[in-house]
Amino acid sequence: MFPGIVLLLAATAYALLFFTSRAGEAPTAVCTAALWQDTLPLEGVVRRGETPVAAPAGRPVPLVPAGTRVAAGEPVALAGESGEARFRAALLLRVRAELASDTLPGPDGQALRSLSGSLARRDFSALGALLPEVRRSLGYAATGGNALRQEEEALVAAGAEAAIVRAPCAGLFSAGADGAMTVASGGWTFTAPLNEKTAARLPAGRAVLLLPDGTRVAAAVRITDAGEAVFSCGTHLERVLPLSECTLTVLLAEWQGFSLPESAILPGEDGDIVCRVSGPVREYVPVAVLARRGGSALVVSPMLRGGMSVLFDPAAEN
């Protein structure tokens, strides 16, 4: 019985010593690599430099998807009072494409009713398959070795050229539900009203805007007499085509370092320090504090790595 009592007392003493030691240990935190940003969100309006695309009478049928970059003079739509006018214009484009390619695909049996879908997609291969049937429906029966050239001359004589709508300048093409078409080229602006607080934080001269998808855009900034900030941008036009009234973010500052609790930062003789912990080893290393936020601090030090443990300031734990 005596040996059992001795073992029980020894275990009790060990447990008391262990928990007393653990209770006296200061807690640690993991040093985490982080990127912090200081940002200013602003609500405003995006305006783009756009050139209207003039079309003849009739509802235009776009040949290119919205947001596609087009060259000046490139065919972007077909328009006309009748479907026949559009057919002739589509055939003219098709013939010219074949004249330039020196190859002529054979018919694959597609029906005439798929022509409208082919026009919307600008699918010249599908239009080529429809040529024989469409040619018969319009009364054309060009033959001989120079059939394509004769077809082109017949289509031009029939006024097919007048139904082809071309881009007035190079840029990004768009078409609205009402049939209006534009080509956006050059730059764009973002205009946002300011108050006393936002005006004080806004940098003068140049700024970096963050678009909703995270894209960064350099912009020139000016403040109008009406108290509005106007950001003038010359790049990433395609990113803002779907935007109008929206919130864009001004990137004021950005820091990259290691995030840890503020209470882990101690005053040293030559500046701030932290105590890094590796098992029983503790070592004080110098740090530079870049920013503080909500009880955390972002620091840099050549002696810190992500995943390291740092000791809280014992005084801050009391």
Side-chain angles (χ1 to χ4, degrees), residues 88 92 140 142 148-160:
R88 287 174 173 165
L92 180 59
Y140 295 124
L148 281 178
R149 184 64 66 188
Q150 294 177 32
E151 187 77 11
E152 179 187 36
E153 293 173 357
L155 290 166
V156 171

Side-chain angles (χ1 to χ4, degrees), residues 223-273:
I223 309 300
T224 68
D225 294 338
E228 293 181 322
V230 180
F231 300 83
S232 300
C233 311
T235 60
H236 295 92
L237 176 63
E238 64 278 6
R239 301 280 186 174
V240 300
L241 283 179
L243 301 180
S244 53
E245 294 184 9
C246 60
T247 297
L248 300 186
T249 302
V250 184
L251 180 62
L252 301 176
E254 188 173 68
W255 310 277
Q256 188 167 7
F258 300 101
S259 176
L260 44 82
E262 275 193 280
S263 57
I265 300 174
L266 307 172
E269 293 183 358
D270 299 320
D272 293 322
I273 59 174

Side-chain angles (χ1 to χ4, degrees), residues 6 36 62 67 92 104 112 134 144 178 232 240 251-252 275-276 280 310:
V6 172
W36 284 14
L92 180 59
L104 184 62
L112 181 60
V134 174
D178 59 353
S232 300
V240 300
L251 180 62
L252 301 176
C275 180
R276 67 182 187 185
V310 295

Side-chain angles (χ1 to χ4, degrees), residues 1 39 62 192 252 264 270 286 295 300 308:
M1 183 175 179
T39 58
L252 301 176
D270 299 320
V300 291
M308 284 184 172

Side-chain angles (χ1 to χ4, degrees), residues 35-42 201-203 206-211 214-218 221 231 248-255 293:
L35 176 69
W36 284 14
Q37 293 178 335
D38 183 17
T39 58
L40 175 63
L42 294 175
R201 297 185 63 196
L202 189 66
R206 302 288 297 178
V208 174
L209 284 177
L210 299 180
L211 303 185
T215 301
R216 301 186 181 202
V217 182
V221 185
F231 300 83
L248 300 186
T249 302
V250 184
L251 180 62
L252 301 176
E254 188 173 68
W255 310 277
R293 177 186 299 166

Side-chain angles (χ1 to χ4, degrees), residues 15-298:
L16 180 63
L17 179 63
F18 175 80
F19 286 110
T20 301
S21 175
R22 295 291 293 178
E25 289 182 5
T28 60
V30 176
C31 180
T32 306
L35 176 69
W36 284 14
Q37 293 178 335
D38 183 17
T39 58
L40 175 63
L42 294 175
E43 294 183 7
V45 178
V46 170
R47 295 185 176 87
R48 298 166 289 275
E50 297 179 337
T51 302
V53 177
R59 185 174 181 83
V61 178
L63 296 173
V64 294
T68 300
R69 190 173 296 278
V70 297
E74 180 179 342
V76 293
L78 298 178
E81 292 292 348
S82 67
E84 182 176 318
R86 294 179 185 172
F87 288 170
R88 287 174 173 165
L91 287 176
L92 180 59
L93 291 176
R94 181 69 178 102
V95 167
R96 288 178 174 172
E98 290 300 337
L99 286 170
S101 68
D102 294 328
T103 60
L104 184 62
D108 62 4
Q110 294 191 46
L112 181 60
R113 61 178 177 272
S114 65
L115 178 62
S116 58
S118 300
L119 295 183
R121 298 189 305 273
R122 202 180 181 190
D123 187 344
F124 283 151
S125 295
L127 289 174
L130 299 170
L131 266 175
E133 190 170 355
V134 174
R135 187 182 290 128
R136 286 193 300 272
S137 70
L138 299 180
Y140 295 124
T143 58
N146 198 23
L148 281 178
R149 184 64 66 188
Q150 294 177 32
E151 187 77 11
E152 179 187 36
E153 293 173 357
L155 290 166
V156 171
E161 188 75 62
I164 299 175
V165 182
R166 300 183 180 277
C169 57
L172 295 170
F173 174 79
S174 62
D178 59 353
M181 299 176 295
T182 59
V183 174
S185 59
W188 54 278
T189 61
F190 175 65
T191 303
L194 299 176
N195 55 38
E196 184 176 344
K197 183 177 180 179
T198 55
R201 297 185 63 196
L202 189 66
R206 302 288 297 178
V208 174
L209 284 177
L210 299 180
L211 303 185
D213 63 357
T215 301
R216 301 186 181 202
V217 182
V221 185
R222 65 180 178 88
I223 309 300
T224 68
D225 294 338
E228 293 181 322
V230 180
F231 300 83
S232 300
C233 311
T235 60
H236 295 92
L237 176 63
E238 64 278 6
R239 301 280 186 174
V240 300
L241 283 179
L243 301 180
S244 53
E245 294 184 9
C246 60
T247 297
L248 300 186
T249 302
V250 184
L251 180 62
L252 301 176
E254 188 173 68
W255 310 277
Q256 188 167 7
F258 300 101
S259 176
L260 44 82
E262 275 193 280
S263 57
I265 300 174
L266 307 172
E269 293 183 358
D270 299 320
D272 293 322
I273 59 174
V274 298
C275 180
R276 67 182 187 185
V277 181
S278 178
V281 178
R282 298 184 179 184
E283 183 179 7
Y284 289 92
V285 299
V287 297
V289 180
L290 301 179
R292 300 173 188 266
R293 177 186 299 166
S296 296
L298 192 72

